Amino acid sequence: MRKIYLDNLKWITVVLVVLYHVIYMYNGIEVYGIAGPFYPVQYQDLFQYIVYPWFMLLLFVVSGMSARFYLNSHSHREFIRTRTRRYLVPSTLGLLTFGWVLGYYNMQFSDAFSTMGNVPKPVMYLIMAVSGTGHLWYIQVLWILSIVLVLFRIIEKERIYEKCSKTPVWVMIAFVLPIWGAAQILNTPIISVYRFGIYGTGFMLGYLVFSHDEVMERLSKWWLPLTIAGILCCIGFCIVFWRKPYAEHVVLDTLLCNIYAWIGTIAILAFMKKWGDFKNPFTVFMTRESWGLYLFHYLPLAMCTYYLEKYFPGTPAILCYVAVTISAFGGGILLYEIISRIPVLRWLLCGIGGKKHVSGKLSRTQKVT
């Protein structure tokens, strides 16, 4: 059966990711690959501090849960095949096919072309393709974790999984300690988003613990105290680290950041399990479009920002935010609807298999797992 609350949680988190990137494009804290801030101090940047510690960790926990649900009715071979098509193909072959376009704009924002000299065009193309990785790091990491999960299942043989069904809430809260410890290890140098330690731990906790219905029922009863705790952690984190580089290890590795990240994650899981198990035409639409929105939102966002800066300098901040937000959501969904209907491209860029139509509409798997 579909977990409606998880479907809602996925698309809501994707919306937060898009809004985060809109704010990020004009932020005054992290400076790489952006248009730059409007003012020396921007209080809208606070949004980044509110969501950044937990929203990707939450996605990895949910992805671990979704992996378990899929493996309940599919073989390891099917799991690897679908995950390879879904995650690895768009984040590798897709970059070579289309990702270089985003890479071009990212390099424009960074003024990288001025330092490239007479780089041969084939090399320049590869550099642009790699520069277009951007938010696709998530599915690259997710593919690696999926392969590791299969190896783990072959060894584990359900022994640990069955015991995890009895996990009490206090132990779920105490997982903050291994989360903090994992945040210190398996981090790639320079590029801080590839945090295999903490994201791998979140993924495995999602698979082993939170995929149990009885665990989620137990957790949902604590939604109110966990929500209050999450809000208090958020306030404390924002006060302590305001104007500090929230996306760097000087902040990410701290105990306070990881407490907030984990309490925020399980609080949202508890809240959505309690109150998010509903659907209507809008939630169904967002569930269907969330995968494509995640894949394609950043290109129209970057293009809109670039051309606003180039041809309309001095545009008021509020108009820039509105224009870029509309471009990110509208452009991302439009690109997905177009590309997902084009043979070959739909496989390369969206990870979608054979072409099928239901009632005149394209049928496709929409889950961000």
Side-chain angles (χ1 to χ4, degrees):
M1 293 178 61
R2 299 287 302 181
K3 307 290 185 182
I4 303 300
Y5 76 94
L6 285 183
D7 287 339
N8 288 332
L9 181 53
K10 290 171 191 175
W11 72 256
I12 290 171
T13 308
V14 169
V15 167
L16 292 177
V17 170
V18 177
L19 293 175
Y20 166 80
H21 284 146
V22 171
I23 300 296
Y24 175 83
M25 187 57 76
Y26 294 106
N27 89 92
I29 310 299
E30 301 291 335
V31 298
Y32 176 77
I34 64 170
F38 295 102
Y39 312 107
V41 178
Q42 301 185 143
Y43 290 102
Q44 63 267 34
D45 288 352
L46 190 64
F47 180 79
Q48 300 168 106
Y49 291 83
I50 293 173
V51 302
Y52 193 83
W54 55 263
F55 69 166
M56 295 311 298
L57 177 58
L58 175 62
L59 275 182
F60 278 102
V61 172
V62 172
S63 295
M65 297 169 67
S66 298
R68 177 68 205 190
F69 302 146
Y70 185 91
L71 284 164
N72 283 339
S73 57
H74 295 80
S75 67
H76 288 163
R77 180 175 296 182
E78 291 173 316
F79 180 74
I80 292 174
R81 184 174 64 249
T82 57
R83 265 47 186 176
T84 297
R85 187 193 72 225
R86 191 78 167 162
Y87 304 146
L88 186 62
V89 171
S91 63
T92 53
L93 298 180
L95 287 179
L96 296 174
T97 306
F98 191 67
W100 62 271
V101 181
L102 176 57
Y104 168 81
Y105 290 101
N106 285 339
M107 292 174 69
Q108 287 283 10
F109 286 123
S110 303
D111 198 26
F113 290 108
S114 64
T115 63
M116 301 299 290
N118 296 319
V119 175
K121 290 185 177 180
V123 176
M124 182 69 75
Y125 159 74
L126 291 175
I127 293 173
M128 287 194 297
V130 173
S131 299
T133 302
H135 57 292
L136 296 184
W137 68 266
Y138 163 62
I139 58 177
Q140 291 174 341
V141 173
L142 203 48
W143 181 80
I144 294 172
L145 294 178
S146 297
I147 300 303
V148 172
L149 175 60
V150 171
L151 299 176
F152 173 80
R153 279 172 57 88
I154 293 173
I155 298 170
E156 187 261 342
K157 300 185 184 302
E158 302 287 81
R159 292 187 294 268
I160 299 175
Y161 176 78
E162 293 300 331
K163 293 180 180 178
C164 287
S165 65
K166 298 179 175 61
T167 305
V169 173
W170 72 265
V171 172
M172 298 182 217
I173 296 172
F175 283 144
V176 70
L177 295 177
I179 286 290
W180 178 40
Q184 318 302 316
I185 61 173
L186 300 179
N187 299 310
T188 56
I190 302 176
I191 307 175
S192 61
V193 292
Y194 291 96
R195 305 171 67 204
F196 289 94
I198 186 171
Y199 292 144
T201 301
F203 180 82
M204 291 306 299
L205 287 175
Y207 171 84
L208 288 170
V209 179
F210 297 99
S211 61
H212 292 280
D213 288 338
E214 55 267 47
V215 167
M216 289 304 300
E217 286 292 339
R218 208 172 295 137
L219 185 65
S220 68
K221 296 176 182 178
W222 284 66
W223 73 270
L224 183 56
L226 285 173
T227 299
I228 294 172
I231 292 171
L232 293 176
C233 288
C234 176
I235 294 171
F237 176 81
C238 292
I239 291 173
V240 171
F241 292 111
W242 173 241
R243 301 289 296 166
K244 294 181 181 178
Y246 64 85
E248 306 298 331
H249 287 290
V250 66
V251 172
L252 294 175
D253 296 347
T254 63
L255 178 59
L256 176 56
C257 181
N258 285 276
I259 290 175
Y260 175 38
W262 186 245
I263 296 302
T265 294
I266 61 175
I268 292 168
L269 284 172
F271 183 91
M272 290 301 293
K273 173 61 178 174
K274 179 67 177 181
W275 302 108
D277 199 26
F278 66 90
K279 64 180 180 178
N280 55 45
F282 177 74
T283 64
V284 170
F285 171 80
M286 291 303 298
T287 297
R288 188 177 70 241
E289 299 296 333
S290 62
W291 176 242
L293 180 60
Y294 184 85
L295 290 177
F296 295 113
H297 75 276
Y298 206 88
L299 176 58
L301 183 156
M303 291 177 65
C304 181
T305 305
Y306 176 74
Y307 291 116
L308 278 175
E309 292 293 303
K310 184 174 182 179
Y311 296 112
F312 304 98
T315 302
I318 185 63
L319 294 182
C320 288
Y321 282 124
V322 170
V324 172
T325 300
I326 293 173
S327 297
F329 282 98
I333 291 173
L334 181 61
L335 275 174
Y336 183 50
E337 289 299 324
I338 293 172
I339 292 173
S340 64
R341 287 167 167 77
I342 301 175
V344 182
L345 281 183
R346 65 197 301 270
W347 181 77
L348 285 169
L349 305 184
C350 307
I352 298 174
K355 189 175 183 181
K356 297 179 181 179
H357 290 268
V358 178
S359 301
K361 295 184 178 180
L362 194 65
S363 175
R364 54 187 180 271
T365 304
Q366 300 291 347
K367 296 182 289 182
V368 184
T369 54

